Amino acid sequence: MKLFITRIVLKLEHFRQWLIAQLMFGFLNFLKIFPADGAIRFADWLVRKIGPRMPRHKLMLVNLRNAFPEKSDAEIEEIALGSWGNMGRLAAEYVFLDRLFDFDPERSEPVRIEVSGIPLFLDLRDNPRPFIVFTGHTGNFELLPVAGAAFGLHVTVLFRPPNNPYVAQKVFDFRSARMGKLVPSHAGSSFTLARQLEAGQGVGVLVDQKFRKGLKTKFFNLDVTTNPLVPKLVRQFDCEVYPARCIRLPGNRYRLEIEPKFEIPRDSKGNLDLTAMAQMLNDKVESWVRQYPEQWLWYHDRWKIKGKVLN
């Protein structure tokens, strides 16, 4: 009897996930009817209306109050709404990703995409060596590997698949057609990245995700555990590390930035300091988020505080 009930529950869960996926795909297909700019603005407007009614909105407000204790309730609400709008834009931009990336260094007139740090892109492409590019969930972070591929700089990207298996497969197929080699995060993903670095190639990593067990660090002056993957890879391969981000600009435009390489922190014996390295990653992402707080995804429980105001 228990086995029968378990099978029924699993089938119902699979059906629930399938239904959610079909609703999402239906919405994205609906957006294809419209021009990109109109669809992106509509998705922003719609999610701003829906988001505050979702259970995650409460966690988002708590996260913002903990990160910005100096801000008023009105300022917190404004950032939260902006963050929901950012998520709506992300969804719509998936549909038009091929059309959005129009950067051409030979063109003099303004385009939708502008790129800062072109000499770094070209140097990494023309002088192959192992390197890591890291970013956070800011702006449309999906555009970064697209930009790399456009410059002929193919980077192996580590990503966390969505929990919904139907959505995960669709996302993987879409990304892999536009972003080069993808590595879903799982127990063996670090070995795949290590092989890429060992072969003198580059990898891309998001470093602002919640991690259950990791290096004890700070993020917005609050305790977090940070994935030691990047510091350990740097220690093993002595590779260069570059910060990169996407910034949303007015008029559905974007600026992609790659910054100069990090100075690797070392202890008194000259060994790489893992915790200091992890803290540097957090500090860089925090500086980006403080500059454009509405462009970060605040609905994750990054601090594992379960909705508690700590300040």
Side-chain angles (χ1 to χ4, degrees):
M1 187 63 179
K2 287 184 178 180
L3 181 60
F4 174 75
I5 293 174
T6 300
R7 287 176 176 173
I8 294 296
V9 170
L10 287 175
K11 287 183 178 180
L12 288 173
E13 175 60 19
H14 282 304
F15 175 74
R16 184 186 72 85
Q17 292 181 328
W18 176 86
L19 182 61
I20 291 173
Q22 299 314 306
L23 291 172
M24 291 179 60
F25 301 151
F27 174 65
L28 295 178
N29 286 329
F30 168 73
L31 292 178
K32 291 180 181 179
I33 300 173
F34 305 98
D37 288 302
I40 292 170
R41 285 193 293 267
F42 171 73
D44 182 314
W45 173 84
L46 181 64
V47 178
R48 283 174 186 260
K49 296 294 183 183
I50 298 173
R53 295 173 171 82
M54 303 291 287
R56 284 278 177 170
H57 187 66
K58 180 180 178 181
L59 175 60
M60 182 182 289
L61 295 178
V62 170
N63 284 341
L64 282 164
R65 290 191 179 103
N66 285 325
F68 300 109
E70 74 283 1
K71 292 188 181 297
S72 67
D73 288 344
E75 289 173 311
I76 293 297
E77 286 284 354
E78 183 179 0
I79 294 171
L81 280 176
S83 183
W84 283 116
N86 176 58
M87 281 185 274
R89 287 174 176 270
L90 273 170
E93 287 159 352
Y94 249 91
V95 177
F96 303 101
L97 203 57
D98 289 335
R99 284 181 258 171
L100 291 180
F101 192 84
D102 61 354
F103 176 78
D104 183 350
E106 301 301 323
R107 292 173 60 178
S108 57
E109 67 272 18
V111 291
R112 188 185 296 272
I113 303 287
E114 60 182 61
V115 178
S116 174
I118 293 175
L120 291 175
F121 272 107
L122 299 179
D123 177 55
L124 290 172
R125 182 195 68 186
D126 298 337
N127 300 285
R129 57 193 183 272
F131 65 89
I132 298 173
V133 175
F134 76 89
T135 191
H137 291 86
T138 60
N140 189 331
F141 48 91
E142 303 281 4
L143 284 169
L144 291 169
V146 176
F151 278 94
L153 180 64
H154 298 285
V155 176
T156 299
V157 179
L158 178 70
F159 79 103
R160 181 186 181 278
N163 293 328
N164 186 308
Y166 302 99
V167 176
Q169 186 58 51
K170 199 82 169 181
V171 168
F172 180 81
D173 292 342
F174 182 88
R175 283 171 164 168
S176 59
R178 294 158 178 82
M179 303 178 187
K181 187 173 182 179
L182 299 175
V183 179
S185 58
H186 52 66
S189 58
S190 60
F191 296 104
T192 303
L193 297 183
R195 285 196 294 270
Q196 295 300 312
L197 293 171
E198 189 175 24
Q201 300 179 18
V203 302
V205 184
L206 282 157
V207 297
D208 57 348
Q209 295 171 314
K210 182 174 71 173
F211 197 71
R212 290 184 180 180
K213 295 180 180 179
L215 300 170
K216 294 182 179 180
T217 53
K218 296 282 187 180
F219 190 54
F220 281 88
N221 298 316
L222 300 171
D223 293 332
V224 291
T225 51
T226 297
N227 192 332
L229 174 62
V230 170
K232 286 185 176 180
L233 289 174
V234 174
R235 181 177 63 182
Q236 182 177 358
F237 295 100
D238 194 27
C239 53
E240 298 173 348
V241 180
Y242 293 85
R245 64 167 169 169
C246 172
I247 302 171
R248 295 190 182 280
L249 303 175
N252 293 332
R253 297 177 59 249
Y254 313 83
R255 181 165 67 249
L256 308 180
E257 296 182 345
I258 183 168
E259 302 179 17
K261 64 182 179 182
F262 266 7
E263 290 296 327
I264 305 301
R266 301 188 182 277
D267 60 23
S268 58
K269 297 181 180 179
N271 299 317
L272 186 142
D273 188 326
L274 292 178
T275 301
M277 182 77 207
Q279 188 60 58
M280 287 180 68
L281 301 176
N282 288 354
D283 291 344
K284 174 54 70 174
V285 175
E286 180 180 329
S287 72
W288 294 338
V289 177
R290 286 187 179 277
Q291 188 176 10
Y292 300 102
E294 73 284 354
Q295 297 189 22
W296 196 60
L297 302 184
W298 289 96
Y299 70 96
H300 290 300
D301 192 10
R302 177 67 177 90
W303 293 274
K304 298 185 289 187
I305 57 179
K306 298 181 180 178
K308 298 177 182 178
V309 178
L310 302 180
N311 294 295

